[in-house]
Amino acid sequence: MTDSASPTRPPLTVQMHAADNVAIVANDGGLPAGTVLASGLTLVDRVPQAHKVALEDIPQGAAVRRYNVPIGYAIQPIPAGSWVHERLLHMPDALSLEGLPLATVRPEPLPPLTGYTFEGYRNADGSVGTRNILAITQTVQCVAGVTEFAVARIKAELLPRFPNVDDVVALEHTYGCGVAIDAPDAVIPIRTLRNISLNPNFGGEVMVVSLGCEKLQPERLLPPGSIPLVDERSVADVGTSAEPKLDVVCLQDDAHVGFMSMIDSVMRQAEKHLERLNARRRETVPAAELVVGVQCGGSDAFSGVTANPAVGFCTDLLVRAGATVMFSEVTEVRDGIDQLTSRASTPEVAQAMIREMAWYDAYLDKGRVDRSANTTPGNKKGGLSNIVEKAMGSIVKSGSAPISGVVSPGDKATQKGLLYAATPASDFICGTLQLAAGMNLHVFTTGRGTPYGLAEVPVIKVATRSDLARRWHDLMDINAGRIADGQATIADVGWEMFHLMLEVASGRKKTWAEQWKLHNALVLFNPAPVT
């Protein structure tokens, strides 16, 4: 027996449901062949940590069950005690989108959770920010270098004069030109960038840097009426119509003579926005003002055992407190669509989820993308055999509350409760679309590890395994691996997460991603063709 299964740390496996015929190995380093489990079963293979062991003989063609769901079918007989991996499984077919249960699950209403608050920034449109940031929107990638140079100078020369402003960020992206701007699906990246520009953490201050010749003109990105009136603006700022002016620095304007004149123009306009943002103060607001996006990346088989169930418990707490929680990742939940449509609050919400899934099915089919491509090499190394198994562990982030609404890609969330925000599973596209939906706090779980972070919103990172939390001690904010270790319950970690959210939202605590300024680029989901 190895140290991971010593007398002080006996062999530990996790079976998700009594009907499952596999369990995962929880011990660091896995377990060697010959290890005797608590049930008396002897391992016939070495089984790596987070990978599955057969709890009984599984005949050829029989279902391999985890979460009480067939995650695959044995392509050969699998003896009890064997390592069950992807090469031994035939993946089930995708569920049909026809004949699904619609709003059939009617859970008892969750009791309200009152008395919890945080210190946030109230905006004129009714939203609340957790940070006070100047965001500079770009209409096109061509201006990224100029904006980056200007932002560096703004941070060095202007920001120290405005201590109540947390940061200045450039909303860089690769869209704006060289695309079929009038194609039907072009609305998705355009409305995504528009709604990100209006994220609650930016205080209603909208500033744009444009090249001048791009297809995505500023007036198309932010048409009249799209920018809310900010209370602190004077009549001179908005004009006699009380319509906020679109503040654009166009690099091709004749007034710009040389590179530094462009930088001076950006800095001059930024200073006006910084002055208004600096006048804002945090105030006590109910926890109901949180808009939380939950996501997982670099997942492993522990994701659905520790971190994601803890997020699900916390999701229920947030919903009870009146907050908004968005879960996403179409290809990661597609194989559990029946679980989601049955939990919809109404048949109409269920049908909206089906429409989003059908749209994405057609999108993948157009590109001839097999759904099995979602499960990455790292996912498989972490014990996830296929997308069906991954889906079961992903869905549990949503907790148990009814799904009260669906947010299409790039749209803004307009209601409270548990929402399904339809996004691709890619970490950065998902995060980008949740920002557009109005997210003011992000929770990201990982088992393999990823230094993911966003400049626009605090990101709380949750490790699924204690080994990862120890090794990445200055990147992970919460160690959910304690659940598998027997040192904490799902409820313990869920409450810890809830309280940490309030501290982070109030600005009293910074996440590790904020401290290190780990800021990944935004990625606009662009299904329209490139010209």
Side-chain angles (χ1 to χ4, degrees):
M1 221 174 253
T2 66
D3 289 342
S4 62
S6 66
T8 58
R9 184 168 294 183
L12 178 63
T13 59
V14 179
Q15 183 179 359
M16 296 304 295
H17 191 278
D20 291 352
N21 54 11
V22 294
I24 66 166
V25 169
N27 300 81
D28 290 349
L31 295 172
T35 298
V36 179
L37 304 182
S39 64
L41 178 68
T42 300
L43 299 189
V44 298
D45 297 317
R46 178 189 175 275
V47 182
Q49 185 188 34
H51 283 251
K52 294 173 289 296
V53 56
L55 300 178
E56 59 189 50
D57 292 335
I58 303 175
Q60 182 176 346
V64 173
R65 303 187 70 85
R66 188 167 180 237
Y67 301 98
N68 195 26
V69 170
I71 62 169
Y73 296 91
I75 62 175
Q76 66 186 52
I78 304 175
S82 298
W83 175 17
V84 181
H85 48 76
E86 62 167 317
R87 296 183 298 280
L88 298 178
L89 302 181
H90 171 70
M91 187 167 64
D93 294 334
L95 287 175
S96 170
L97 295 179
E98 302 290 334
L100 292 168
L102 307 180
T104 54
V105 174
R106 300 290 182 183
E108 289 294 320
L110 298 171
L113 189 63
T114 60
Y116 290 94
T117 63
F118 68 97
E119 303 301 307
Y121 293 96
R122 281 203 177 275
N123 298 316
D125 65 356
S127 65
V128 173
T130 61
R131 294 293 183 266
N132 192 29
I133 296 171
L134 172 59
I136 301 178
T137 301
Q138 301 174 177
T139 56
V140 67
Q141 171 66 22
C142 309
V143 304
V146 172
T147 309
E148 181 183 19
F149 190 97
V151 166
R153 280 195 57 185
I154 292 167
K155 288 183 177 183
E157 300 173 27
L158 297 181
L159 195 57
R161 292 167 38 201
F162 303 102
N164 295 320
V165 181
D166 293 309
D167 203 358
V168 179
V169 301
L171 302 182
E172 181 186 351
H173 57 89
T174 57
Y175 194 70
C177 210
V179 293
I181 199 75
D182 293 315
D185 289 332
V187 65
I188 294 176
I190 295 173
R191 73 187 180 202
T192 299
L193 184 57
R194 176 186 306 139
N195 285 327
I196 289 175
S197 302
L198 304 174
N199 183 277
N201 283 358
F202 305 151
E205 297 290 339
V206 180
M207 177 179 169
V208 179
V209 176
S210 161
L211 181 60
C213 60
E214 65 271 20
K215 291 182 179 179
L216 183 57
Q217 289 290 301
E219 294 77 13
R220 181 162 187 168
L221 173 63
L222 292 154
S226 63
I227 305 174
L229 180 64
V230 178
D231 293 340
E232 295 84 353
R233 290 179 182 171
S234 66
V235 175
D237 287 326
V238 300
T240 56
S241 65
E243 174 72 36
K245 292 181 179 178
L246 181 55
D247 183 8
V248 180
V249 175
C250 179
L251 302 188
Q252 290 178 348
D253 279 355
D254 292 341
H256 291 136
V257 180
F259 174 66
M260 291 312 300
S261 70
M262 300 177 189
I263 301 302
D264 290 341
S265 291
V266 174
M267 293 185 68
R268 196 160 46 242
Q269 294 306 111
E271 187 170 9
K272 298 176 183 179
H273 294 280
L274 288 169
E275 287 174 350
R276 287 194 289 263
L277 287 170
N278 195 58
R280 290 156 53 82
R281 297 293 184 272
R282 290 184 181 271
E283 59 182 277
T284 302
V285 296
E289 300 297 347
L290 287 174
V291 182
V292 180
V294 299
Q295 186 187 355
C296 49
S299 301
D300 67 356
F302 278 110
S303 295
V305 176
T306 60
N308 289 354
V311 170
F313 185 93
C314 186
T315 292
D316 285 348
L317 295 177
L318 290 163
V319 171
R320 289 170 57 191
T324 301
V325 184
M326 297 178 288
F327 74 106
S328 300
E329 301 166 283
V330 173
T331 53
E332 287 195 9
V333 301
R334 170 66 176 80
D335 279 276
I337 182 61
D338 56 332
Q339 298 179 34
L340 303 181
T341 56
S342 63
R343 282 176 54 200
S345 58
T346 66
E348 291 74 21
V349 171
Q351 290 289 0
M353 279 190 281
I354 292 170
R355 284 195 300 272
E356 294 294 349
M357 298 292 171
W359 184 94
Y360 208 77
D361 281 358
Y363 173 70
L364 292 178
D365 186 61
K366 188 185 301 183
R368 299 182 180 180
V369 178
D370 191 303
R371 84 189 211 276
S372 65
N374 176 278
T375 316
T376 68
N379 294 155
K380 294 174 181 178
K381 190 173 181 180
L384 292 172
S385 295
N386 56 43
I387 188 54
V388 180
E389 183 177 9
K390 189 177 182 182
M392 297 306 110
S394 179
I395 287 173
V396 295
K397 295 195 301 293
S398 65
S400 63
I403 301 167
S404 59
V406 176
V407 183
S408 295
D411 274 346
K412 183 178 179 180
T414 58
Q415 62 191 107
K416 300 284 188 178
L418 177 64
L419 308 179
Y420 178 67
T423 79
S426 168
D427 296 350
F428 310 117
I429 303 179
C430 177
T432 299
L433 289 170
Q434 288 185 343
L435 277 172
M439 169 176 71
N440 58 19
L441 189 66
H442 200 28
V443 176
F444 190 98
T445 69
T446 183
R448 302 299 296 166
T450 170
Y452 171 95
L454 295 171
E456 300 80 8
V457 64
V459 179
I460 295 173
K461 302 285 284 297
V462 185
T464 72
R465 299 178 296 122
S466 293
D467 178 61
L468 175 64
R470 284 191 295 267
R471 290 188 295 109
W472 288 25
H473 58 89
D474 52 2
L475 286 170
M476 298 291 116
D477 300 293
I478 294 177
N479 175 21
R482 293 175 295 136
I483 297 169
D485 297 341
Q487 298 173 359
T489 65
I490 289 172
D492 291 337
V493 178
W495 274 108
E496 177 188 353
M497 197 178 302
F498 180 75
H499 289 297
L500 179 60
M501 285 181 182
L502 299 178
E503 290 295 297
V504 170
S506 298
R508 291 189 289 264
K509 186 174 180 62
K510 285 190 174 183
T511 66
W512 279 114
E514 284 185 289
Q515 292 185 53
W516 296 123
K517 297 190 181 300
L518 298 178
H519 299 158
N520 292 95
L522 301 179
V523 182
L524 299 186
F525 181 37
N526 177 26
V530 176
T531 60

